[in-house]
Amino acid sequence: MLIAWINPRLEGYCTSGVRLRSVAGDQIEAAEDLLHLVTQAPQLGTLAAFRSVRMDVQAGNIALSIEEVDMHARPLSPAGVPRSVSSRASLLDYATTDALLIRDLHIRGESILRRSS
């Protein structure tokens, strides 16, 4: 899947193993697994096939979770426009999405951007 980042600091933490480890602590394996699965999946619907990945909708974002790690993202249209997801039932409408805007990554409910401040 193609990935865009809403914040350059967030991208830095999620693309550097050392920086991710500093904020993820004992959840580093779950964080790495989630990031790997998302970046390697050809489409959003592919992630639904993994039993370890939970999907939900929160405030227009898709929440992808493994263990205590939650990624909040918005699907991007083919033109690169972020879309708001209205409900869990509408997730099927985005199954063929092949690009996400990553808005945040939470470890045990706390944003990694807040942990790193």
Side-chain angles (χ1 to χ4, degrees), residues 72-87:
H72 299 268
R74 295 244 169 139
L76 291 172
S77 72
V81 177
R83 296 175 167 170
S84 181
V85 181
S86 60
S87 69

Side-chain angles (χ1 to χ4, degrees), residues 42-91:
Q43 296 178 327
L44 188 60
T46 305
L47 294 171
F50 291 98
R51 291 182 302 182
S52 61
V53 178
R54 295 178 313 277
M55 295 177 104
D56 204 356
V57 174
Q58 298 175 353
N61 294 312
I62 296 171
L64 302 163
S65 305
I66 292 181
E67 296 179 27
E68 298 293 323
V69 179
D70 306 306
M71 177 184 287
H72 299 268
R74 295 244 169 139
L76 291 172
S77 72
V81 177
R83 296 175 167 170
S84 181
V85 181
S86 60
S87 69
R88 193 169 185 349
S90 67
L91 279 174

Side-chain angles (χ1 to χ4, degrees), residues 2-7 10-11 73-74 76 99-103:
L2 299 173
I3 302 294
W5 305 91
I6 198 160
N7 181 304
L10 178 63
E11 179 181 13
R74 295 244 169 139
L76 291 172
L100 292 175
L101 174 64
I102 309 303
R103 300 175 53 83

